């Protein structure tokens, strides 16, 4: 999924080229789970095998604040079914209830309209005063609170 150019079109810095890089990313994500008891989940349908993608929150620092970075990426075959919106809504509801002291933040490229829709559906709002340069260019910033 992370080596599919379609799934990384808006965030090329996330693209993985080798299995070793994927293993490294897994280790990085898994360390967060071990340290904090939450992180990025696998997204799948209850009644069907197979991974549709990933969605979750992870601590990071943004604008000198400790925030929860909201992440979602699905395999292109799973796009358009409302799965990302459903997963992000569940994750954000959990974060707001269990980690209320930390804003949930989604950093989205302006052209990534689907991602902006997902962030909005999950309850985040665009905070224009926080927009600015990110890893892959200009980012629009969506937050639960600030
Ligand atoms: C962003 C992503 C997770 C959305 O997945 P999805 O399964 O299409 O999302 P959903 O089906 O829940 O729908 C998202 C919304 O965007 C809309 N949408 C989907 N594709 C769109 C497009 N190309 N242009 C405009 N709107 C679009 C849908 O109609 C839906 O709108 P609604 O909430 O008003 O009904 C998926 O495209 C993806 O994995 N992209 C690659 C990774 C990525 O960009 N992650 C986000 C990084 S910030």
């Amino acid at each position: 999924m992370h080596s599919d150019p379609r799934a990384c079109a808006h965030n090329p810095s996330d693209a993985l080229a080798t299995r070793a890089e994927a293993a490294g990313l897994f280790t990085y994500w898994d360390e967060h789970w071990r340290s904090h008891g939450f992180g990025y989940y696998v997204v799948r349908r209850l009644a069907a095998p197979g991974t549709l993608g990933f969605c979750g929150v992870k601590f990071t620092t943004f604008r000198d604040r400790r925030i929860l970075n909201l992440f979602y990426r699905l395999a292109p075959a799973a796009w358009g079914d409302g799965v990302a919106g459903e997963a992000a809504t569940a994750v954000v509801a959990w974060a707001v209830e269990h980690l209320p002291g930390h804003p949930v933040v989604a950093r989205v490229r302006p052209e990534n309209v689907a991602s902006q829709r997902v962030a909005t559906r999950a309850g985040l709002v665009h905070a224009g005063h926080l927009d600015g340069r990110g890893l892959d260019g200009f980012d629009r910033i969506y937050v639960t609170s600030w």
Side-chain angles (χ1 to χ4, degrees), residues 7 11 72-74 78-82 84-85 107 112-115 117-118:
N11 302 92
Y72 33 82
R73 172 165 292 128
L74 302 186
W79 292 358
D81 279 346
R107 297 171 283 181
N112 198 350
V113 178
S115 179
R117 292 291 311 141
V118 171

Side-chain angles (χ1 to χ4, degrees), residues 1-3 15-28:
M1 202 173 303
H2 289 89
S3 62
L16 304 179
T18 66
R19 180 166 286 272
E21 286 178 6
L25 183 65
F26 172 80
T27 301
Y28 179 56

Side-chain angles (χ1 to χ4, degrees), residues 6-11 14 54 70-76 78-86 106-109 111-118 121:
R6 294 169 296 173
C8 299
H10 297 288
N11 302 92
D14 286 350
F54 305 93
L70 176 63
F71 171 78
Y72 33 82
R73 172 165 292 128
L74 302 186
W79 292 358
D81 279 346
V83 173
E86 186 178 341
R107 297 171 283 181
V108 188
R109 304 300 313 284
E111 305 79 20
N112 198 350
V113 178
S115 179
Q116 291 170 41
R117 292 291 311 141
V118 171
R121 184 170 157 202

Side-chain angles (χ1 to χ4, degrees), residues 60-110:
T60 191
T61 301
F62 175 72
R63 304 277 195 271
D64 297 324
R65 282 189 72 174
R66 191 159 161 84
I67 60 110
L68 292 162
N69 184 65
L70 176 63
F71 171 78
Y72 33 82
R73 172 165 292 128
L74 302 186
W79 292 358
D81 279 346
V83 173
E86 186 178 341
T89 299
V91 162
V92 171
W94 180 89
V96 167
E97 181 180 352
H98 295 279
L99 301 163
H102 302 283
V104 178
V105 176
R107 297 171 283 181
V108 188
R109 304 300 313 284

